[in-house]
Amino acid sequence: MGKIKKKSKASSNGHGPRNGSGPGNGHVERDHVGRAVPRADMGKADVGTAALGRSVERSSTGSPNPNLRTYEIPDYRLEHPQFTVRQLTEKDKSGQEHVHYEVTGDLDAPVPPIRDSKYLDKQQSIEIYRYMLLNRRMEIALENLYKQGKVVGGVYFGLGQEACSCASAYALDKDDWFAPMIRNQGSLLVRGFGASDTMMQYMAKADSPTKGRDGTSHFGDIEKRNMVSPISMLGDLIPVMSGVALGARLQGRNIAVMTYIGDGGQSTGVTYEGINFAAVQNLGLVLFVESNLWAYSTPSEMQYRCKDLAERAIGYGIPGVIVDGTDACQVYDAAHEAIERAHAGKGPTLIEAKMMRMKGHAIHDAASYVPKPMFDFWKKRDPLARFESYLVKDKKWLTPKENEALIAEVENVIEAEREIAVNSPMPTPESAEGGVYCENGCHEIKPKYGTPKVKKGTGACKETEADVHLK
């Protein structure tokens, strides 16, 4: 099991280093039931589902105050980066002020190993690695198509976040639902979409999922793949997915519904409303907070005050957990346990995945505001390179020759998918009027899991004072 951060009622005021400081005073190593564990024994502790449960206990610090409660946030990471980003203002010769950022801290720390998964076997690990390869190669192809002038609009990348997108979606069962955001294109591949679907979508081709009516990732599939379309208004997917879980419950099923939000997007009011609704209704929401350090050009130090966003789970009364978002095994294990909780009817889980957005907000953004040493630090923690080394060198589940063959196979798949996208026709002008209105027979809304149970009324309702007043 990883480190468990023990948090008292007196919370951090945000002045410590960001993206996960190492445990200091006030932090106690504990196992999943709250027992103190010596540091040397932490690697032997259990990482079971109970670790995701919220622990509320009387203070174990010897405080005479009987009303002091402590909370625990499991932290499965094998490193806790120690650096801080500061905003600096300088004047040029003409007196014009210019803002830039500076990063300080231990930027030469060694790269940690991949944590062994409690659940993944050899074949599953290789499958996740292949999806991560497909994700990376697809986005490289998209960037080249953009530079060739074949993309309509912009392109959004998930470089550095492939482990989070692919391993999280891989943990879902067939009947579970998901709703990706713009950087989770790998999750679409895991759930059965082809790379050509995403390419054609960005190229606004007639064969794209939206038939050329949208040039970004606004498409879904509620019939076969249980995917809700991304919503540009950040945070809005959270109450929508909570509603999906509620709808399934009314049909007699407890399902997991997974979606994502960034460290910037989680600041929206609808994020709070959606999580709170899921918490109160005990719905199976699995929310990944992709803490990638930058909300467009705003560093996390200027976005929120708490040190770890997983701490916000305490306020919602739900389990929260921290993982290394560049470690596919950590991401999968946390997702798997949260999904199991959802299936058991135990409610939502908030998972903070810490990592780095390795490109700008979109292809038009060069991310010149990000200090170069920060990029260098996270480049060494490339999720794809780390997982490749883990499978080839550490576990020896792939020989170098088998790995080369797998990479070649993925490149051939992406090239074939690119050809499909390039050769797809543009939509005809007259096709623009189709699909605007919900015409007869365009789609039928029906229960997916069963007919909701409703109570029969006892007859006419009595008129209340409020009814009379409203008249």
Side-chain angles (χ1 to χ4, degrees):
M1 179 179 174
K3 299 177 185 296
I4 296 185
K5 187 175 74 172
K6 188 178 181 196
K7 179 177 173 61
S8 72
K9 196 172 182 180
S11 63
S12 166
N13 62 6
H15 291 304
R18 278 300 173 84
N19 209 41
S21 302
N25 293 334
H27 289 78
V28 178
E29 309 292 1
R30 292 180 175 270
D31 65 11
H32 70 270
V33 294
R35 297 172 301 207
V37 179
R39 287 180 184 269
D41 295 333
M42 283 305 291
K44 302 177 183 177
D46 188 16
V47 193
T49 304
L52 287 178
R54 181 179 66 142
S55 175
V56 181
E57 59 183 27
R58 294 300 182 188
S59 172
S60 58
T61 61
S63 169
N65 183 357
N67 296 318
L68 180 64
R69 292 184 293 176
T70 60
Y71 301 85
E72 294 175 351
I73 301 291
D75 189 344
Y76 297 151
R77 292 174 298 161
L78 296 179
E79 77 166 345
H80 298 77
Q82 299 267 8
F83 53 76
T84 303
V85 178
R86 296 187 302 161
Q87 185 184 67
L88 302 176
T89 303
E90 294 180 352
K91 292 183 179 181
D92 59 20
K93 295 180 180 179
S94 64
Q96 181 71 34
E97 289 188 345
H98 298 275
V99 173
H100 70 278
Y101 297 101
E102 177 184 83
V103 60
T104 57
D106 185 7
L107 295 166
D108 296 319
V111 179
I114 295 291
R115 179 186 285 279
D116 284 337
S117 171
K118 186 176 179 179
Y119 308 105
L120 291 170
D121 59 24
K122 172 183 175 180
Q123 187 59 39
Q124 291 171 321
S125 299
I126 293 173
E127 286 178 3
I128 291 176
Y129 171 57
R130 182 179 179 275
Y131 282 125
M132 291 169 63
L133 277 170
L134 281 168
N135 189 173
R136 179 72 59 88
R137 296 299 194 273
M138 178 185 71
E139 292 190 356
I140 291 173
L142 271 172
E143 184 173 9
N144 291 333
L145 288 169
Y146 177 87
K147 292 175 179 178
Q148 294 167 7
K150 296 179 179 179
V151 168
V152 178
V155 178
Y156 298 89
F157 298 112
L159 183 65
Q161 301 183 202
E162 295 93 345
C164 187
S165 295
C166 296
S168 61
Y170 191 85
L172 292 167
D173 283 354
K174 182 179 179 181
D175 284 339
D176 294 329
W177 285 67
F178 81 116
M181 289 295 288
I182 55 175
R183 306 197 195 288
N184 305 119
Q185 294 169 150
S187 64
L188 276 70
L189 299 172
V190 174
R191 295 292 282 185
F193 283 96
S196 59
D197 291 319
T198 298
M199 294 182 195
M200 288 188 293
Q201 186 70 14
Y202 276 112
M203 298 165 76
K205 291 299 188 77
D207 297 324
S208 69
T210 59
K211 311 301 180 186
R213 289 170 177 78
D214 183 85
T216 54
S217 56
H218 297 108
F219 65 94
D221 180 0
I222 62 175
E223 297 296 332
K224 298 179 180 179
R225 300 182 179 96
N226 292 353
M227 172 184 164
V228 175
S229 170
I231 301 175
S232 292
M233 285 63 74
L234 300 180
D236 277 30
L237 276 173
I238 299 172
V240 169
M241 297 308 289
S242 298
V244 172
L246 179 59
R249 176 191 290 171
L250 293 175
Q251 297 173 40
R253 293 287 297 276
N254 282 325
I255 63 170
V257 293
M258 179 180 291
T259 191
Y260 310 80
I261 192 70
D263 47 62
Q266 60 81 38
S267 295
T268 61
V270 70
T271 296
Y272 165 81
E273 295 165 4
I275 301 175
N276 188 62
F277 179 77
V280 170
Q281 298 295 329
N282 214 41
L283 303 170
L285 173 69
V286 179
L287 178 63
F288 270 88
V289 178
E290 297 182 302
S291 188
N292 59 15
L293 299 179
W294 294 87
Y296 205 123
S297 58
T298 302
S300 58
E301 276 78 358
M302 300 177 66
Q303 181 64 226
Y304 53 87
R305 194 70 183 267
C306 59
K307 187 174 67 174
D308 300 304
L309 290 171
E311 295 174 4
R312 297 198 167 177
I314 297 169
Y316 295 117
I318 65 174
V321 60
I322 302 172
V323 297
D324 179 351
T326 68
D327 184 333
C329 291
Q330 290 186 38
V331 170
Y332 177 87
D333 282 10
H336 173 82
E337 293 178 359
I339 290 166
E340 289 298 301
R341 290 189 71 256
H343 291 166
K346 295 182 179 180
T349 305
L350 189 155
I351 303 171
E352 181 183 4
K354 291 180 180 287
M355 52 200 166
M356 173 69 179
R357 187 194 76 199
M358 295 301 289
K359 281 185 176 289
H361 177 69
I363 199 166
H364 61 270
D365 174 20
S368 58
Y369 43 81
V370 178
K372 185 178 182 298
M374 181 175 276
F375 272 134
D376 294 340
F377 177 89
W378 287 100
K379 188 175 181 180
K380 299 173 187 176
R381 289 151 178 79
D382 183 318
L384 189 56
R386 289 180 69 198
F387 206 40
E388 177 184 23
S389 178
Y390 174 76
L391 296 175
V392 176
K393 297 179 180 179
D394 299 341
K395 303 297 287 187
K396 293 182 171 51
W397 284 346
L398 283 173
T399 66
K401 188 174 182 180
E402 289 171 336
N403 184 47
E404 291 175 4
L406 178 57
I407 293 173
E409 182 264 332
V410 166
E411 290 178 344
N412 289 335
V413 168
I414 292 300
E415 179 58 27
E417 295 284 293
R418 192 194 72 85
E419 285 298 311
I420 292 173
V422 169
N423 293 323
S424 175
M426 295 300 290
T428 60
E430 56 270 19
S431 68
E433 63 182 6
V436 178
Y437 299 100
C438 184
E439 300 162 348
N440 292 332
C442 72
H443 71 282
E444 181 182 356
I445 300 175
K446 56 184 179 180
K448 194 175 184 73
Y449 303 110
T451 303
K453 297 179 180 180
V454 295
K455 294 181 180 179
K456 293 183 178 180
T458 57
C461 296
K462 294 182 179 179
E463 193 171 54
T464 65
E465 183 179 346
D467 294 328
V468 175
H469 175 73
L470 289 173
K471 287 182 179 180

